[in-house]
Amino acid sequence: MKYYHFLNKDFKDDLGLHQYAPLTTNALQIDIKSGSWNGKVEAIRTGDVSKVQNFFIKSGTVVALKRQYIISQGHAYIDIDMIYPFPNSKWRNIYNGSWTGWKLVFGDVDMNSKLLDKSKII
């Protein structure tokens, strides 16, 4: 990144973490029965996001962190901390017997962006 020194510390920490997190190709992959992946951090980083399943961005480059939290059997949620293209936004999908759909928890995002697959956002 050409202007890396201008980024704030929290952003640099996230960026550093995503470099070492294992890659995922499915934004909703979760092991809810065993709970063995509780709190697991994975990275979504690709130049072609169409290769990532169950994701709310349909095209272009994406860099994000994925965390999954298993509350109990049948109840869990996944957080996506976006680094690019919508920096500092957090998205969440809740599992309560089935997935409820991606929701923007916080951050500034142009919901009319052509990058978003609005069929996956509730």
Side-chain angles (χ1 to χ4, degrees), residues 4 12-24 40-45 63-65 83:
Y4 184 74
K12 287 180 187 177
D13 289 346
D14 276 354
L15 194 60
L17 181 58
H18 100 272
Q19 291 174 345
Y20 301 106
L23 293 176
T24 184
K40 181 177 181 183
V41 177
E42 295 179 304
I44 299 173
R45 57 181 186 271
V63 179
L65 286 176
I83 297 171

Side-chain angles (χ1 to χ4, degrees), residues 104-115:
L104 180 65
V105 177
F106 65 81
D108 293 326
V109 173
D110 178 8
M111 295 305 275
N112 293 316
S113 171
K114 293 183 177 8
L115 298 175

Side-chain angles (χ1 to χ4, degrees), residues 70-82:
I70 300 165
I71 309 304
S72 64
Q73 192 162 354
H75 304 286
Y77 65 94
I78 290 181
D79 280 348
I80 299 285
D81 294 315
M82 189 67 60

Side-chain angles (χ1 to χ4, degrees), residues 28 30 32 72-78 92-103 122:
L28 294 181
I30 193 166
I32 198 162
S72 64
Q73 192 162 354
H75 304 286
Y77 65 94
I78 290 181
R92 180 168 288 165
N93 202 331
I94 298 173
Y95 184 84
N96 189 11
S98 65
W99 292 106
T100 59
W102 290 105
K103 295 174 181 64
I122 295 176

